[in-house]
Amino acid sequence: MKEVNKSKEQLINELAKMRRRITKLEKLEKQRKRAEVELRNTKDYLDNVIESSLDGIAVSDSWGYILKVNKSFTKLAGREEKEIIGKHAMELSVTEEGTYESTTGELVEIDEEFFNHSIKTMTELYDEGKIFNWETYYLRKDGKVVPVEMNIVYLYSEEGEIIGSVGINRDITGRKRAEKDLKHTKNYLSNVINSMPSVLVSVDCEGRVTEWNLEAEKVTGSTKKEASGQPLDKMIPMFAKQMENISQCIRERKQQKVERILSNIEGETQYLDLMIYPLIVNEVEGAVIRVDDITSRVRIEDMMIQTEKMMSVGGLAAGMAHEINNPLGGILQGAQNIMRRIFHDLPKNIQVAHECGTDLEKIRSYMEKRQIAKFLEGIMTLGRTASRIVANMLEFSRESGNHMSLIPNNLADIIEKTVEIAANDYDLKKHYDFRHIEIVRDYDLDLPEVPCDANRIEQVILNLLKNAAQAMGKDRIQAPRIILRTRQFDKMARIEVEDNGPGIEEKNRKRIFEPFFTTKEVRVGTGLGLSVSYFIITENHKGTITVESSPGKGAKFIIHLPLERRSP
Amino acid sequence: MISSTIRVLVVDDEEMILINLVAFLEDEGFSVLSTKSGEEALELLASETVDIAIIDIRLPQMDGDTLIIKAHELQPEMKFLVYTGSVNYTLPKTLMNLGISEEQVFKKPLDDIGVLVQAIHQLIDRKE
């Protein structure tokens, strides 16, 4: 129907319909606009979230080319946004091998392994669709590398195709630095522990090894790895006796000290000090044990005690000698006079015998028959023996410089001369022929001349040779051997007389230089030889004489003589 | 000089030493005088001439060294032997100045007193 044909009523209806429609359209338009604003708001919001994240966020396409990054990422990568967008993620990382300075302040070595690891991680990403906490480096524009921790996830379309990825990157410079410091501290502490010249081990409450320093490795021959978790007494058998002390220390939280433990490692006598203290962190976690080898200290202490003992014994002996000499003189002279007045044909003897109505023959005959002559000879022989012993004892009080002069001598010459004397010694031949002993000479040809009293050094060495020969003879050693050694040792000349005889027991070794101490049969030795030697070396020459030995291992006497005479 | 004309003085406070020495020297033919102290010895030397004296050093009051010096003043021609039990004895300078040497010092005990006789003869014969 044409407009003109429409009735007024009809037209009014249509108008109303139009108005309704306009209102509806206006409403729809409003709705659309509101939705548009809402959408814009949401996008801004998400952008805002991404942008304000402190972690660096990068969105890449399915090939790995970066589409979008936030501010934190640009800061992290050390580049501007336009330098990043469109680049492949890998291009931001290190692409060439070499040494790089890190933001942590240390130098980082980037090698093939780094790239291999990166490739492996990328493969993992492809297979799994995500990577969790991957630690790698970005290379900044300024040439420094920055350590990052990355989390990457793939984005998928509704059809399940990869359409891109989101990577969240965290700068871990601070953490790396802390780790480095921690590692340094740990290294430092372990160096402190390892540099200690003591064995330092720790155990847990059950006595199993938790710490094991270098010295412990050295002493036991077991590495920390081998020792860790093992019972301590299994690793160090001598600790079997100490396990109770260790438990007590843990139980009572009190440190324990065990001193001067005598141990025998491969035949070497050692003295050890043991310190056990509880290891307390929050609760008692075990105990720390420190073992100090105090062998040399004990040796020095022993030597000092020895010196002191010898000095007092020496003084006593010398004092006694003085007092004995006079009466001994009377005895010897008396006996000599008696012998002369009976057995010598002095005119006076003949005259007095005659006056007494007898003669010397009768008197002598009586004396012989009643063995009086023999008794007298006994008095004289034994008196002379006593006199010799006293003379030896007097060596103890002889001081340096008194009665003797120390003249430079070649030690090897003195030793050779002494060997000659020993080979011809009649007394020695009776018990053991010195010529059956193999003599090994090991002289230091560069040893300078040593100021000494040649006769007395001869006396000392002869005494050592005789002792060695007697000891080896008594024990019937199959291939007896004496090694004679000279060396220069610091500012000292060192003489060693070593045999392969039966050796000396520890209890005897300690007393070996004491006057009158002897293990020889009665009449074979007076017990003065070594003590006289001791005083000759220590007092007259200001040197030292010591002995190293253990049963079955032979004996080694060591003499040190100063190369320079100390001014008094 | 033959022994019988040599006059020897022995000074020692130890009686057994003294009488044994006297006996031995007499048996050797010497003419022997003896005293047990330095003081007595000096008293004796005031009136008796002696060729040689054997003197102990450790004596009760005056010691042997002093005795020798005083005896030398009294009889400058006199010779001396020191016979001592002190092993650390060293001849003092004052005695060396009198011409006494280490060979004239003997330490007790002697295995054979004969060495003293030899020493006496050596000193006296040298003098002649």
Side-chain angles (χ1 to χ4, degrees):
Chain A
M1 198 188 324
K2 288 185 180 167
E3 296 288 321
V4 285
N5 298 332
K6 283 178 185 169
S7 67
K8 189 183 170 187
E9 200 178 328
Q10 272 180 317
L11 284 168
I12 288 168
N13 270 344
E14 274 183 20
L15 198 61
K17 219 189 247 171
M18 290 293 277
R19 274 202 183 122
R20 277 202 303 274
R21 206 167 156 195
I22 288 166
T23 315
K24 204 178 174 183
L25 280 173
E26 274 173 357
K27 203 176 163 187
L28 274 174
E29 177 65 15
K30 230 184 204 166
Q31 268 179 354
R32 196 183 59 83
K33 273 195 175 155
R34 203 189 298 134
E36 227 168 51
V37 169
E38 258 175 29
L39 189 67
R40 206 164 46 236
N41 278 350
T42 307
K43 192 172 173 290
D44 283 352
Y45 179 74
L46 282 176
D47 277 352
N48 207 6
V49 167
I50 290 170
E51 199 58 30
S52 59
S53 164
L54 291 175
D55 285 334
I57 297 173
V59 181
S60 309
D61 65 14
S62 56
W63 299 102
Y65 290 97
I66 296 171
L67 300 172
K68 186 174 170 56
V69 291
N70 67 352
K71 209 187 285 162
S72 292
F73 189 91
T74 60
K75 207 174 138 199
L76 171 71
R79 292 165 201 271
E80 283 174 45
E81 192 178 338
K82 60 178 183 206
E83 293 171 315
I84 299 171
I85 302 297
K87 283 226 169 83
H88 194 275
M90 295 295 267
E91 286 179 82
L92 296 178
S93 186
V94 190
T95 51
E96 275 174 44
E97 287 184 25
T99 308
Y100 296 86
E101 193 189 337
S102 167
T103 47
T104 58
E106 60 188 339
L107 290 176
V108 177
E109 193 71 43
I110 302 291
D111 52 14
E112 209 187 327
E113 203 185 316
F114 173 83
F115 297 117
N116 289 341
H117 185 71
S118 297
I119 292 164
K120 205 179 131 216
T121 311
M122 288 332 255
T123 316
E124 239 174 77
L125 172 65
Y126 188 78
D127 291 345
E128 314 255 333
K130 62 187 174 209
I131 294 174
F132 191 62
N133 286 354
W134 174 34
E135 286 185 17
T136 183
Y137 291 102
Y138 278 142
L139 180 62
R140 299 199 317 199
K141 206 159 78 173
D142 64 6
K144 280 191 186 177
V145 292
V146 51
V148 288
E149 187 183 81
M150 247 184 246
N151 287 301
I152 305 173
V153 283
Y154 273 163
L155 299 173
Y156 297 95
S157 67
E158 275 175 33
E159 288 78 32
E161 279 176 69
I162 299 167
I163 53 168
S165 67
V166 179
I168 298 175
N169 305 268
R170 179 167 289 175
D171 181 348
I172 53 169
T173 302
R175 198 175 81 197
K176 281 282 171 195
R177 211 177 270 155
E179 271 173 17
K180 189 186 106 191
D181 285 352
L182 190 69
K183 206 166 130 194
H184 176 78
T185 309
K186 224 178 144 186
N187 264 339
Y188 186 76
L189 281 178
S190 94
N191 275 339
V192 167
I193 292 168
N194 280 329
S195 306
M196 274 178 85
S198 314
V199 168
L200 198 75
V201 299
S202 64
V203 292
D204 61 16
C205 294
E206 275 75 48
R208 285 185 299 255
V209 173
T210 52
E211 187 62 61
W212 191 258
N213 77 345
L214 218 56
E215 188 66 18
E217 289 190 352
K218 220 162 84 188
V219 169
T220 60
S222 307
T223 62
K224 184 177 176 182
K225 213 169 148 191
E226 291 164 342
S228 287
Q230 296 293 326
L232 182 61
D233 50 346
K234 191 185 149 197
M235 296 315 297
I236 310 179
M238 62 155 284
F239 270 22
K241 287 182 202 151
Q242 303 302 332
M243 294 316 275
E244 180 45 39
N245 281 328
I246 293 169
S247 339
Q248 196 185 341
C249 160
I250 293 170
R251 214 167 44 236
E252 295 175 7
R253 297 184 166 217
K254 246 163 71 184
Q255 65 175 45
Q256 304 250 344
K257 195 166 185 187
V258 193
E259 286 177 308
R260 276 199 180 215
I261 301 172
L262 192 66
S263 91
N264 210 305
I265 298 173
E266 289 164 9
E268 287 265 331
T269 309
Q270 276 189 324
Y271 292 93
L272 304 173
D273 266 6
L274 215 67
M275 185 84 175
I276 308 166
Y277 45 100
L279 183 63
I280 303 168
V281 180
N282 293 316
E283 281 187 45
V284 183
E285 297 207 338
V288 180
I289 300 128
R290 196 182 86 197
V291 188
D292 290 310
D293 182 353
I294 55 158
T295 312
S296 55
R297 199 185 80 204
V298 170
R299 293 251 158 88
I300 290 167
E301 277 173 10
D302 280 356
M303 205 187 264
M304 279 165 70
I305 293 168
Q306 166 97 324
T307 307
E308 217 160 281
K309 188 170 70 185
M310 292 298 281
M311 290 307 125
S312 64
V313 172
L316 182 72
M320 268 173 61
H322 280 291
E323 295 312 316
I324 290 169
N325 268 343
N326 261 319
L328 203 53
I331 292 167
L332 281 171
Q333 287 172 19
Q336 197 180 2
N337 276 330
I338 296 168
M339 295 292 278
R340 276 163 62 92
R341 289 192 171 184
I342 293 167
F343 298 100
H344 288 207
D345 290 328
L346 301 172
K348 188 90 178 181
N349 291 357
I350 298 164
Q351 185 201 327
V352 175
H354 185 72
E355 281 168 18
C356 293
T358 181
D359 58 52
L360 284 177
E361 286 310 309
K362 282 184 183 139
I363 294 170
R364 283 173 195 165
S365 160
Y366 175 82
M367 295 285 171
E368 300 285 0
K369 280 182 179 152
R370 298 298 291 145
Q371 286 186 295
I372 290 166
K374 206 168 181 183
F375 297 151
L376 278 171
E377 264 165 35
I379 291 173
M380 292 189 72
T381 312
L382 295 180
R384 281 177 191 149
T385 306
S387 148
R388 261 198 307 281
I389 291 171
V390 170
N392 271 329
M393 280 161 67
L394 287 167
E395 291 286 348
F396 303 169
S397 68
R398 221 182 279 274
E399 282 160 18
S400 167
N402 196 5
H403 296 286
M404 57 178 288
S405 48
L406 305 181
I407 297 159
N409 276 293
N410 183 317
L411 277 188
D413 289 350
I414 295 178
I415 297 170
E416 280 306 304
K417 196 174 156 202
T418 316
V419 172
E420 189 76 15
I421 294 169
N424 293 306
D425 189 286
Y426 177 69
D427 267 356
L428 204 52
K429 264 189 219 167
K430 278 193 293 190
H431 300 282
Y432 198 86
D433 197 340
F434 198 76
R435 274 171 278 209
H436 288 156
I437 301 171
E438 181 199 355
I439 304 286
V440 180
R441 294 160 174 89
D442 178 10
Y443 300 142
D444 179 356
L445 298 175
D446 298 325
L447 186 69
E449 292 198 322
V450 181
C452 64
D453 181 324
N455 287 330
R456 287 190 199 275
I457 298 299
E458 249 169 53
Q459 185 186 339
V460 171
I461 293 167
L462 182 61
N463 189 258
L464 296 179
L465 293 177
K466 278 183 175 185
N467 285 346
Q470 281 170 354
M472 293 191 289
K474 200 174 135 203
D475 253 51
R476 306 196 185 287
I477 298 294
Q478 280 308 310
R481 188 195 64 221
I482 293 175
I483 303 172
L484 300 165
R485 221 175 263 121
T486 63
R487 289 285 183 276
Q488 185 169 348
F489 183 77
D490 214 1
K491 282 182 181 164
M492 300 284 231
R494 179 182 170 115
I495 308 170
E496 290 180 9
V497 179
E498 182 180 343
D499 67 41
N500 60 348
I504 307 158
E505 278 179 58
E506 180 65 12
K507 68 176 193 328
N508 292 336
R509 195 187 67 82
K510 280 190 165 167
R511 299 188 58 196
I512 202 161
F513 295 111
E514 278 177 35
F516 304 110
F517 178 79
T518 182
T519 57
K520 294 179 192 170
E521 282 163 45
V522 182
R523 289 175 168 277
V524 175
T526 56
L528 283 173
L530 279 176
S531 50
V532 168
S533 298
Y534 181 89
F535 282 101
I536 289 175
I537 299 298
T538 59
E539 284 296 281
N540 298 353
H541 291 84
K542 302 290 173 212
T544 61
I545 177 167
T546 52
V547 59
E548 288 175 2
S549 179
S550 48
K553 297 254 162 93
K556 178 155 88 177
F557 284 82
I558 301 160
I559 298 168
H560 284 109
L561 295 173
L563 283 171
E564 283 166 39
R565 285 196 63 184
R566 261 171 281 174
S567 45
Chain B
M1 198 188 263
I2 54 161
S3 298
S4 59
T5 59
I6 300 174
R7 287 167 69 81
V8 186
L9 168 65
V10 184
V11 185
D12 202 308
D13 63 327
E14 181 63 51
E15 186 159 9
M16 271 309 286
I17 304 251
L18 192 66
I19 63 168
N20 271 300
L21 259 180
V22 172
F24 192 95
L25 294 171
E26 278 179 352
D27 284 354
E28 286 292 321
F30 295 103
S31 157
V32 189
L33 299 167
S34 68
T35 68
K36 290 172 85 172
S37 73
E39 289 79 2
E40 288 172 80
L42 289 176
E43 220 169 277
L44 193 75
L45 288 172
S47 55
E48 299 277 350
T49 313
V50 165
D51 295 300
I52 186 161
I54 301 174
I55 290 170
D56 183 19
I57 294 299
R58 282 203 300 192
L59 290 167
Q61 283 167 326
M62 182 192 298
D63 66 22
D65 293 337
T66 317
L67 171 60
I68 291 171
I69 291 162
K70 296 204 165 167
H72 176 77
E73 284 168 13
L74 287 173
Q75 300 186 23
E77 290 297 303
M78 202 175 144
K79 298 287 171 191
F80 298 94
L81 293 180
V82 171
Y83 187 40
T84 176
S86 313
V87 263
N88 288 342
Y89 180 76
T90 45
L91 206 56
K93 230 184 172 118
T94 46
L95 296 196
M96 287 199 235
N97 290 342
L98 302 181
I100 299 172
S101 68
E102 290 285 352
E103 288 93 71
Q104 285 158 261
V105 178
F106 295 87
K107 303 267 166 84
K108 290 173 192 173
L110 287 173
D111 280 1
D112 178 4
I113 321 167
V115 293
L116 288 180
V117 175
Q118 282 170 23
I120 291 169
H121 280 301
Q122 262 170 25
L123 278 174
I124 303 294
D125 294 347
R126 201 196 301 157
K127 192 172 83 175
E128 282 175 350

